[in-house]
Amino acid sequence: MKNAHMKDAVALSDFLSLLQEQIHEGKVQWDELKVVHTLDEYRQQQDLNRGPSFSTIAAFGPNGALIHYKPSLETNRIIDNSSFLIIDSGGQYLDETTDVTSTFHFGLATQRQKEIYTRVLMGAIDLAALVFSDSIADSHVDIIARQNLYQVELDYHHETGHGIGSFLNVHEMNINSKEPHRFRANYFFSDEPSYYLPNEYGIRLETILRVVDVKMTVHSARIAVH
Ligand SMILES: [Mn+2]
């Protein structure tokens, strides 16, 4: 899992470096579908890659506010420096499955946008850093990722994360499902808090976390880390 995530990060970093450079130069026009095709090609160059783990999502400006958005010829938007761009993508590798989301702004974000992005990021970090008892169900940790948004009366209307397979399903059971599950060591799941302002923009950050055992003096517990 770790090895494939490193390969996947290389493909993504190479692609993002190209995208950022060309958007700042302004000579090449980028749109959502060009992001999808180019990023998919970068991943395919990685060892043991067998294609995307789901249809790559590139969502600019108002399209980013649509939770289940997937670009098409009818909805495709040109990417400029006026709003947020969400890129949510993953790869199938013989040694793993990946799923990662980043949000970018290539111009100047407003103070309000910076605050909301920061609160989404704080939620993602809080969940990644959580130490918890092994009696805790997956649905109980969801609040951790939302608390910083709740403080300013904001929220997002989807689950915070889902289990992920290894060269299997990219979306396994949700961690905020009605049927709670106990965490076990080496359970891998996504940490993806977000915020959506209808008709304006979306912000979503996603990493895959791994549950690991920690020894505590009082009783055994588990900690989730990258
Ligand atoms: Mn995901």
Side-chain angles (χ1 to χ4, degrees):
M1 290 287 265
K2 284 165 83 171
N3 192 37
H5 265 93
M6 278 191 270
K7 288 185 291 182
D8 201 67
V10 168
L12 200 56
S13 300
D14 282 350
F15 167 73
L16 291 173
S17 161
L18 173 84
L19 178 70
Q20 191 166 351
E21 194 177 297
Q22 293 199 344
I23 284 186
H24 283 148
E25 280 176 4
K27 289 179 195 154
V28 179
Q29 190 173 75
W30 280 85
D31 57 36
E32 293 167 347
L33 288 174
K34 186 174 163 72
V35 168
V36 171
H37 299 143
T38 312
L39 177 53
D40 287 354
E41 278 170 19
Y42 271 68
R43 270 208 174 84
Q44 269 157 26
Q45 291 165 20
Q46 290 297 320
D47 201 24
L48 304 182
N49 182 272
R50 293 295 181 270
S53 54
F54 58 96
S55 295
T56 299
I57 296 168
F60 184 72
N63 286 344
L66 306 167
I67 293 173
H68 299 293
Y69 178 75
K70 195 170 71 178
S72 66
L73 284 171
E74 292 73 35
T75 62
N76 192 25
R77 274 181 185 272
I78 288 169
I79 295 160
D80 59 28
N81 63 5
S82 67
S83 190
F84 286 109
L85 170 68
I86 293 178
I87 300 178
D88 185 350
S89 65
Q92 284 290 13
Y93 297 81
L94 289 182
D95 48 352
E96 218 267 294
T97 302
T98 67
D99 181 5
V100 55
T101 309
S102 306
T103 300
F104 305 91
H105 198 306
F106 299 108
L108 289 174
T110 65
Q111 207 49 45
R112 170 82 173 158
Q113 290 171 334
K114 287 178 188 172
E115 178 180 350
I116 297 171
Y117 181 99
T118 303
R119 286 181 181 276
V120 171
L121 178 61
M122 286 163 73
I125 293 170
D126 286 348
L127 181 55
L130 186 67
V131 181
F132 52 92
S133 152
D134 60 8
S135 65
I136 295 291
D138 51 3
S139 54
H140 295 154
V141 304
D142 180 90
I143 182 78
I144 302 295
R146 291 178 204 268
Q147 61 183 338
N148 301 288
L149 288 167
Y150 280 167
Q151 281 167 15
V152 288
E153 294 164 33
L154 300 177
D155 194 11
Y156 50 92
H157 302 290
H158 60 68
E159 276 102 354
T160 294
H162 54 82
I164 184 167
S166 179
F167 198 51
L168 278 170
N169 285 345
V170 64
H171 296 132
E172 296 192 334
M173 59 197 176
N174 289 321
I175 70 160
N176 191 22
S177 61
K178 291 185 182 79
E179 203 187 326
H181 307 88
R182 297 271 290 278
F183 283 107
R184 292 287 178 264
N186 292 317
Y187 174 38
F188 286 78
F189 68 103
S190 72
D191 171 9
E192 45 185 313
S194 60
Y195 172 71
Y196 307 95
L197 183 61
N199 305 314
E200 295 284 335
Y201 61 83
I203 294 168
R204 183 165 67 252
L205 302 175
E206 176 185 21
T207 49
I208 301 299
L209 304 183
R210 173 193 181 193
V211 178
V212 298
D213 274 320
V214 289
K215 294 277 174 276
M216 291 177 78
T217 48
V218 183
H219 54 80
S220 71
R222 292 200 162 87
I223 178 173
V225 295
H226 290 253

